Amino acid sequence: METDRHVSCATILADSRRHYRARLTALTAEFGTPLYVYDAAVIRARAARLQKGLAPLKAKLHFSVKANSNLSILRLIRQLGFGFDVVSGGELARLQAANLPLADVSFAGVGKTGPEIRRALAANIGCFTVESAGEMARIADTAAEMGRIARAALRLNPNVDPHTHKFITTGRAETKFGMDFSTAAALWRQFDGHPAVRIAGVHLHIGSQVRQVAPYIEAAQKTLGFITARRAEGFTVSTLDLGGGFGIGYQGEADFSPNDLAAALSPLLQNTGLQLVFEPGRWLIAPAGILLMTAQYIKQAGRKTFVVVDAGMQTMIRPALYGGRHRIISLAAAPPADTPSITGDVVGPVCESSDFLAQNRELPPVSAGDVLALLDAGAYGMVMASNYNSQLRPAEVLLDGNRHRLIRRRETMTDLLATEQDLSDGVSFLGEEPATSAPDRPPGG
Ligand code: LLP
């Protein structure tokens, strides 16, 4: 089946390895490394799977922009029928820069600032996901002042354990996200009928890289109890946004199944009249991306082997931050069958021992100059890249059929320095007298 062949870059590599490998290698010759490459065929195939799997729920899908915010990726995902979940004015500005419709946009996050709320109201986005009483008041005041109506969903914290890494657990009571049910109920009573606010429903997001359906069911059950209680008080509840978080098989195991989720949720939601929303990020985009990097040195330290590459924690921080285990393969021509594989670490150039992409991993035979590919890098890769150690952030390329386009150029040293001010402008500071030799100092000034 066409879709199955394109379900991840890994499956394409496994299927048509030589062809795809040659193509990726050619990209590194054209654009250099480290390089993020995304495959539109994979994005389309995964979008279709998700839409088909969740079809029984008639849910709206909002792509979570934080997973991959490249303008061209957002444009493609919009073409596939998705709205968006944003968490900052910057993410909203990206949608605006790409001239994408904003009616199907929800704005989550615990720290929305005044200017961000203004921007969202001015843009007339679909819905705010409200995370606290203070935020609700700020949104209401700002909307009233601007003569707008803010549509809102209250984010609940259902106190459910999604069984994932603690840094990406958001549905437990001790995390900063959402509100406990009694706070949310009080807020609903307070703001129902407010002239500048329309509370349309509830939102929750229990965590990310969730592998099981059960935590979603537990969270939905609790939330339906909340909704029934609000309806009994006479409030209108029309939307239920269950967030994102669908996990993928980073080791090649099965992805979280949207079909299983739909089958388990359908009986619960029948006759509730709720418009469901999901906000997947990783599931859609992670397997559509790979990170290409070049081996610089093979370093032996006692019994330990380090493959030093030109990408690192500044390019892809998931292994360092969450212990993420991404498969790494070599694009170099396959060595003779009897060449032993090596066990070692793949590390970057950054001066920290947390700078690794893989640890104690059985790796294909590698020589300096070989191109390696880190798989499932399409989500939380480039968006989390940094300039630490004054490293330049990589370029991004999008493949579509047999064509490709550069969708973000590699940073330059000029970009690196663009926003900084060196105190050489002749203004006295840090206890120094103005430098007499300052080049831009007016003569005699
Ligand atoms: N909706 C909300 C409100 C979220 O906070 C998130 C993710 C999502 C949707 C999308 O979750 P996804 O479907 O992508 O799992 N940097 C971490 C992941 C952080 C996720 C934060 N929130 C990682 O690399 O694993």
Side-chain angles (χ1 to χ4, degrees), residues 64 66 85 168 205 208 244-245 279-282 318 322 380 384:
S64 196
K66 65 177 79 65
D85 149 52
I168 50 178
H205 171 76
S208 198
E279 302 168 341
R282 182 192 323 264
R318 299 199 68 264
Y322 316 106
Y380 307 110
M384 297 182 82

Side-chain angles (χ1 to χ4, degrees), residues 360-420:
N360 300 320
R361 188 80 69 79
E362 193 172 326
L363 298 164
V366 190
S367 313
D370 287 356
V371 176
L372 302 182
L374 180 142
L375 304 184
D376 301 317
Y380 307 110
M382 185 63 193
V383 286
M384 297 182 82
S386 78
N387 291 121
Y388 186 37
N389 278 202
S390 288
Q391 293 280 351
L392 302 177
R393 283 181 298 173
E396 295 175 288
V397 167
L398 179 61
L399 304 181
D400 191 11
N402 52 17
R403 304 182 334 141
H404 67 261
R405 289 279 297 272
L406 184 66
I407 56 170
R408 180 182 183 128
R409 67 163 172 77
R410 185 173 303 286
E411 273 180 350
T412 63
M413 294 298 178
T414 309
D415 294 328
L416 186 69
L417 299 171
T419 54
E420 279 175 57

Side-chain angles (χ1 to χ4, degrees), residues 16-310:
S16 55
R17 195 177 162 117
R18 187 176 300 175
H19 165 74
Y20 208 58
R21 193 170 65 187
R23 189 152 176 226
L24 295 174
T25 310
L27 291 178
T28 65
E30 186 174 352
F31 300 108
T33 55
L35 181 69
Y36 277 99
V37 181
Y38 311 106
D39 194 323
V42 177
I43 301 173
R44 291 196 189 97
R46 296 189 71 83
R49 274 195 166 196
L50 205 51
Q51 285 158 335
K52 206 168 152 207
L54 297 174
L57 301 172
K58 298 190 175 55
K60 285 189 181 174
L61 298 179
H62 290 181
F63 174 66
S64 196
V65 172
K66 65 177 79 65
N68 189 317
S69 59
N70 184 286
L71 299 179
S72 302
I73 298 288
L74 298 178
R75 179 175 303 286
L76 170 59
I77 288 175
R78 174 70 211 179
Q79 276 175 13
L80 299 173
F82 286 68
F84 296 102
D85 149 52
V86 299
V87 289
S88 70
E91 288 188 349
L92 177 56
R94 288 177 170 276
L95 299 177
Q96 292 176 302
N99 216 5
L100 300 176
L102 304 174
D104 292 326
V105 169
S106 43
F107 185 2
V110 297
K112 300 176 193 76
T113 63
E116 287 179 316
I117 290 169
R118 285 184 168 276
R119 174 183 275 274
L121 285 167
N124 201 19
I125 62 154
C127 185
F128 287 89
T129 295
V130 177
E131 307 241 10
S132 65
E135 183 196 325
M136 183 82 256
R138 186 183 258 187
I139 291 174
D141 290 351
T142 315
E145 193 188 302
M146 292 171 72
R148 299 271 175 165
I149 294 188
R151 286 168 297 275
L154 301 187
R155 178 164 179 180
L156 301 179
N157 185 319
N159 195 21
V160 164
D161 186 351
H163 303 294
T164 185
H165 191 280
K166 70 173 179 183
F167 289 177
I168 50 178
T169 292
T170 49
R172 291 183 58 133
E174 66 267 23
T175 68
K176 66 178 175 179
F177 299 96
M179 293 175 272
D180 63 65
F181 287 19
S182 60
T183 304
L187 208 56
W188 206 310
R189 288 177 208 122
Q190 190 186 342
F191 282 89
D192 190 70
H194 188 291
V197 174
R198 220 181 66 227
I199 303 179
V202 294
H203 172 280
L204 50 99
H205 171 76
I206 54 174
S208 198
Q209 183 58 8
V210 182
R211 301 305 312 277
Q212 301 155 12
V213 165
Y216 286 95
I217 304 305
E218 188 187 342
Q221 269 163 341
K222 288 186 167 180
T223 305
L224 286 171
F226 177 87
I227 290 173
T228 305
R230 298 294 74 69
R231 285 178 166 169
E233 288 184 70
F235 302 140
T236 306
V237 188
S238 43
T239 61
L240 170 56
D241 185 333
L242 289 175
F246 308 162
I248 63 153
Y250 281 104
Q251 309 301 306
E253 69 277 32
D255 295 330
F256 178 91
S257 163
N259 302 57
D260 291 354
L261 180 65
L265 272 179
S266 289
L268 285 182
L269 295 164
Q270 253 169 17
N271 308 322
T272 59
L274 291 164
Q275 170 64 61
L276 265 198
V277 184
F278 290 103
E279 302 168 341
R282 182 192 323 264
W283 198 97
L284 183 63
I285 195 73
I290 56 183
L291 170 61
L292 300 178
M293 52 211 181
T294 306
Q296 303 294 311
Y297 306 101
I298 316 299
K299 176 172 173 174
Q300 211 59 48
R303 292 170 59 179
K304 185 123 200 170
T305 304
F306 294 100
V307 176
V308 185
V309 296
D310 57 1

